[in-house]
């Protein structure tokens, strides 16, 4: 194995034993990036100078015999939606093309405190709106398993970079599936934590009641390590929950005996992709063989999830994106005659098509006379979906479903058909609407050798159970060890 192919925990062991230096590892990663990045297009920016500074600091600590944490000296990639002090943060949008935050988001600050090395900022759909990373204002990102396909989205840069070994692990964000769906498309692990588990301070807001930050990693152990680093209360985010964070590494238990697993009828519908259905059903069979109790359950409001999501997320987005008016941040269009023209021209030039579509939809569902019919109704359905899950989690410990209805689709296939694009998140959206945590892990391959993701959902703040179930699957299968042909 080469250095860039290793996991966080493997690298940590080598660093502690002084078999490699963080500098050597960082060099190996940039070498890898130079080798494959032209084909993949995962990064919007590389921060080489700062990375080597950080690596040097860690190497000096190790040389002095200081104890180092799990992430020290480990090169990571960061989705470009997270504010990085003094480093451009574009959110995939032309309107923020030259925006340089004067502060670090809380998760970024925590990674720095842990001495992680940041390699650069990763591509994404503009303002995290999309499922394919084709909505980036700058470039497309290609799936390392098949360069003619999308890596998923909106954290497509993060998932592709991890899969192509262009970083050891990455952070993404998930509002309706944007960590889990790209993780599934690229054959890596991705977790959306419980709403409130991870601070959103310094995360550029899309839909504030749904957004969460989470890890995208090569295996489940790395997911636990990153969760340890980023979880916990933050006075700067009033929705972060003041509750103890367990040591997630203690949840890495290879045993599911007696664990009750729910299989919801509504997620296994007619017309679903045959390869996805086969892989997920085989996974369920394996859990049964390992002693878990499989139980059919029902989540009856599932069919309304996509409609509900697209009312709530557009409503929140239209409000959150009102701040990009040319006054405080990023782009200001030139040649305007008055203030109104400055606003309209800036927004006209700075936002892409999908973002404009969402602002228009969101403004509409919030407007007088329509609010009750759309936004209020959607909020009520959201409550019903929460009770669906509460009822289900009275009978089972976790719920297993596919992460996405199909493996990665082709670049260009859905750009002209937003509704088809929206349907790619049909299995991930309910998790955000109800605030529960979920993880996607690799569970098989399609006939075209594309990765397939298994999604495990759990109770609020029960990430530990998800890690345990995921870890058991991983320890007894080898899907996560397969590398894309680009390697
Ligand atoms: N694909 C969904 C959307 O376009 C989810 C995006 C996300 O989770 N950020 O809104």
């Amino acid at each position: 194995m080469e250095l860039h192919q290793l996991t966080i925990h493997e690298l940590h062991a080598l660093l502690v034993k002084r078999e490699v230096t963080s500098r050597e590892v960082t060099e190996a990663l940039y070498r890898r990036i130079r080798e494959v990045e032209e084909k993949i297009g995962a990064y919007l920016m590389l921060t080489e100078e700062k990375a080597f500074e950080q690596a040097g600091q860690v190497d000096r600590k190790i040389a002095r015999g200081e104890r180092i944490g799990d992430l020290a000296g480990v090169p990571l990639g960061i989705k470009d939606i997270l504010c990085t002090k003094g480093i451009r943060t574009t959110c995939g949008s032309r309107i923020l093309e030259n925006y340089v935050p004067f502060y670090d988001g809380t998760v970024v600050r925590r990674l720095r405190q842990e001495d992680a090395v940041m390699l650069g900022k990763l591509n994404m759909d503009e303002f995290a709106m999309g499922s394919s990373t084709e909505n980036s204002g700058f470039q497309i990102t290609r799936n390392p398993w098949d360069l003619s396909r999308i890596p998923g989205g909106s954290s497509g840069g993060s998932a592709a970079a991890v899969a192509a070994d262009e970083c050891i692990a990455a952070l993404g964000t998930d509002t309706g599936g944007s960590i889990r769906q790209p993780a599934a498309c690229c054959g890596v692990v991705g977790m959306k934590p419980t709403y409130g588990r991870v601070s959103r301070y310094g995360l550029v807001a899309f839909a504030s009641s749904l957004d969460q930050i989470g890890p995208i990693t090569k295996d489940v152990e790395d997911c636990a390590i990153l969760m340890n680093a980023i979880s916990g209360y933050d006075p700067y985010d009033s929705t972060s929950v003041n509750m103890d964070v367990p040591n997630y590494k203690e949840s890495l238990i290879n045993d599911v005996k007696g664990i009750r697993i729910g299989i919801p009828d509504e997620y296994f519908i007619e017309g679903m992709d045959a390869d996805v259905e086969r892989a997920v059903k085989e996974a369920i069979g394996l859990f049964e063989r390992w002693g878990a109790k499989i139980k059919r359950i029902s989540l009856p409001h599932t069919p309304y999830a996509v409609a509900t999501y697209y009312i709530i997320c557009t409503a929140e987005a239209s409000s959150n994106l009102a701040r990009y008016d040319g006054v405080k941040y990023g782009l200001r269009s030139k040649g305007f005659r008055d203030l109104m023209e400055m606003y309209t021209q800036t927004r006209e030039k700075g936002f892409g098509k999908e973002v404009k579509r969402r602002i228009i939809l969101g403004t509409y569902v919030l407007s007088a006379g329509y609010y009750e019919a759309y936004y209020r109704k959607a909020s009520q359905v959201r409550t019903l979906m929460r009770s669906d899950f509460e009822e289900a989690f009275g009978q089972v410990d976790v719920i297993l479903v596919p992460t996405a209805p199909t493996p990665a689709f082709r670049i260009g296939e859905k750009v002209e058909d937003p509704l088809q694009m929206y349907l790619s998140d049909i299995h991930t959206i309910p998790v955000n609407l109800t605030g529960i945590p979920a993880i996607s892990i690799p569970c098989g391959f399609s006939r075209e050798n594309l990765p397939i993701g298994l999604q495990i959902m759990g109770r609020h703040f029960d990430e530990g159970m998800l890690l345990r179930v995921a870890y058991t699957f991983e320890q007894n299968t080898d899907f996560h060890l397969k590398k894309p042909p680009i390697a």
Side-chain angles (χ1 to χ4, degrees), residues 35 37 239 426 437 472:
E35 206 176 277
E37 177 60 5
T239 63
I426 193 160
T472 304

mmCIF file of all heavy atoms in Angstrom, residues 35 37 239 426 437 472:
data_model
loop_
_atom_site.group_PDB
_atom_site.id
_atom_site.type_symbol
_atom_site.label_atom_id
_atom_site.label_comp_id
_atom_site.label_asym_id
_atom_site.label_seq_id
_atom_site.Cartn_x
_atom_site.Cartn_y
_atom_site.Cartn_z
ATOM 1 N N GLU A 35 -1.256 13.669 -9.875
ATOM 2 C CA GLU A 35 -1.379 12.531 -10.783
ATOM 3 C C GLU A 35 -2.807 12.372 -11.323
ATOM 4 O O GLU A 35 -3.000 12.109 -12.492
ATOM 5 C CB GLU A 35 -1.011 11.291 -9.961
ATOM 6 C CG GLU A 35 -0.477 10.106 -10.681
ATOM 7 C CD GLU A 35 -0.114 9.071 -9.596
ATOM 8 O OE1 GLU A 35 0.994 9.204 -9.035
ATOM 9 O OE2 GLU A 35 -0.932 8.184 -9.308
ATOM 10 N N GLU A 37 -5.806 14.467 -10.378
ATOM 11 C CA GLU A 37 -6.781 15.544 -10.237
ATOM 12 C C GLU A 37 -7.286 16.071 -11.581
ATOM 13 O O GLU A 37 -8.449 16.464 -11.707
ATOM 14 C CB GLU A 37 -6.190 16.660 -9.374
ATOM 15 C CG GLU A 37 -7.035 17.893 -9.187
ATOM 16 C CD GLU A 37 -8.400 17.674 -8.516
ATOM 17 O OE1 GLU A 37 -8.692 16.543 -8.089
ATOM 18 O OE2 GLU A 37 -9.171 18.639 -8.453
ATOM 19 N N THR A 239 -28.392 25.852 18.003
ATOM 20 C CA THR A 239 -29.072 24.574 17.766
ATOM 21 C C THR A 239 -28.165 23.379 18.060
ATOM 22 O O THR A 239 -28.593 22.236 17.957
ATOM 23 C CB THR A 239 -29.587 24.451 16.312
ATOM 24 O OG1 THR A 239 -28.472 24.486 15.423
ATOM 25 C CG2 THR A 239 -30.557 25.565 15.973
ATOM 26 N N ILE A 426 -34.552 10.481 -2.728
ATOM 27 C CA ILE A 426 -35.791 9.982 -2.130
ATOM 28 C C ILE A 426 -35.537 9.171 -0.852
ATOM 29 O O ILE A 426 -36.322 9.224 0.086
ATOM 30 C CB ILE A 426 -36.556 9.181 -3.215
ATOM 31 C CG1 ILE A 426 -37.981 8.890 -2.806
ATOM 32 C CG2 ILE A 426 -35.833 7.909 -3.616
ATOM 33 C CD1 ILE A 426 -38.864 8.560 -4.018
ATOM 34 N N PRO A 437 -29.857 10.497 12.783
ATOM 35 C CA PRO A 437 -28.582 10.247 12.114
ATOM 36 C C PRO A 437 -28.674 9.053 11.152
ATOM 37 O O PRO A 437 -29.532 8.187 11.331
ATOM 38 C CB PRO A 437 -27.658 9.901 13.280
ATOM 39 C CG PRO A 437 -28.552 9.221 14.279
ATOM 40 C CD PRO A 437 -29.918 9.854 14.119
ATOM 41 N N THR A 472 -19.633 -3.867 12.016
ATOM 42 C CA THR A 472 -19.813 -5.310 11.895
ATOM 43 C C THR A 472 -19.883 -5.721 10.427
ATOM 44 O O THR A 472 -19.245 -6.683 9.993
ATOM 45 C CB THR A 472 -21.100 -5.756 12.626
ATOM 46 O OG1 THR A 472 -21.017 -5.317 13.979
ATOM 47 C CG2 THR A 472 -21.271 -7.273 12.583
#
